[in-house]
Amino acid sequence: MAAAPKRPFRWHIGVFLAPAVLVYTAIMILPLAGTLQLSLFRNIEQHQVFVGLENFRTLFGDPNWSVNFWNALRNNVWFFIIHMLVQNPIGVMLAALLSSPKLRFAAFYRTAIFVPTILSFVIVGFAWKLILSPLWGVAPSLMDLVGLKSLFTPWLGKEEYALTTLSLISVWQFVGIPMMLIYAALLSIPDEVIEAAECDGITGMSQFWKIKLPLILPSIGIISILTFVGNFNAFDLIYTAQGALAGPNYSTDILGTFLYRAFFGFQLQVGDPNMGAAIATMMFLIILGGVCVYLFLVQTRLRRYQF
């Protein structure tokens, strides 16, 4: 019996993938490997000496480092929670409203909500600092017009309000991303499913909760993990609005700003690339852990809802 012909190797796949693999390796894999390596060394007498996990023990055990690290981690967790509890639900709600065929000017609303996402962090940070300024900002005047001026306070200048205020500013800027992703997911639901639901008398909000929402759960899961990764990589808005010291009194300090001060130094603080690399490695491990939890515990359960 003749042997089956050997399938030819598809060289063209490697040719097309090679540019992307080379670029990704050059700008992602190699810097990551360099960071991991740098975190295991320490500069002693102008020489890089291998110290193993000593930098991590310093990060967790030395009060000069651990206090700031745990404070930045707590702030980062709160920054993420605000986005999960405010940004993503609002994005789902806006997508549900904008997907209604009865809504007029839906395209205009989508564009208006999405525009802030393409603005520079520098513009957003400085604009909101001006808006919320108690001296020359427009926020006090606008709140006075609706009789709420007594509620105004310098939110960016108080420790108990500053981080939440910046989180809500970030929500305002990026709520358009989950809105558009959920909007696309809603449009991809087959018409037959919607028609079957209408035949069973399921319409309006009941149709969204019982039919559409279960079908878009995988998309909501993807948005959640993207939010997690983006928030634990955040830096730009805090740095623009509050500076590298993330004031007042480090109340808005997150892992990104803490990494910046540790690695490059700031004012009287001398930069320590090795400790900065250790902080960056911890950020990588936190993000990697969150992504793994999502992929192996959450995504496997959401697959049943896919159509």
Side-chain angles (χ1 to χ4, degrees), residues 20-189:
V21 171
L22 291 175
V23 171
Y24 186 80
T25 301
I27 67 175
M28 295 294 292
I29 303 299
L30 293 180
L32 175 60
T35 300
L36 298 177
Q37 179 185 11
L38 191 61
S39 67
L40 302 177
F41 287 78
R42 180 171 292 178
N43 192 353
I44 300 177
E45 296 181 354
Q46 305 301 319
H47 296 286
Q48 289 291 318
V49 179
F50 179 79
V51 294
L53 300 178
E54 188 62 31
N55 289 330
F56 297 96
R57 282 192 284 268
T58 300
L59 184 63
F60 297 139
D62 187 342
N64 293 326
W65 290 95
S66 61
V67 172
N68 287 332
F69 173 75
W70 292 117
N71 174 64
L73 182 59
R74 283 194 302 270
N75 290 340
N76 228 143
V77 170
W78 179 244
F79 193 73
F80 166 66
I81 290 174
I82 292 293
H83 282 77
M84 283 294 295
L85 297 183
V86 180
Q87 174 184 277
N88 292 348
I90 291 178
V92 173
M93 179 190 69
L94 291 173
L97 293 175
L98 294 175
S99 64
S100 174
K102 298 180 182 180
L103 180 66
R104 300 180 61 186
F105 308 112
F108 171 77
Y109 298 139
R110 288 198 306 272
T111 304
I113 296 171
F114 190 78
V115 161
T117 65
I118 64 176
L119 296 179
S120 166
F121 285 101
V122 177
I123 294 175
V124 172
F126 278 107
W128 277 101
K129 282 190 69 175
L130 292 174
I131 291 172
L132 298 177
S133 172
L135 297 178
W136 53 76
V138 298
S141 302
L142 293 177
M143 295 182 70
D144 189 30
L145 292 177
V146 294
L148 297 176
K149 188 175 182 179
S150 60
L151 299 179
F152 177 80
T153 187
W155 289 296
L156 291 178
K158 291 190 173 183
E159 295 181 26
E160 61 269 31
Y161 300 130
L163 182 62
T164 301
T165 301
L166 287 172
S167 301
L168 295 176
I169 292 173
S170 179
V171 166
W172 168 83
Q173 182 178 10
F174 291 109
V175 71
I177 293 178
M179 178 199 71
M180 293 303 295
L181 292 174
I182 296 299
Y183 178 77
L186 289 171
L187 293 184
S188 67
I189 297 177

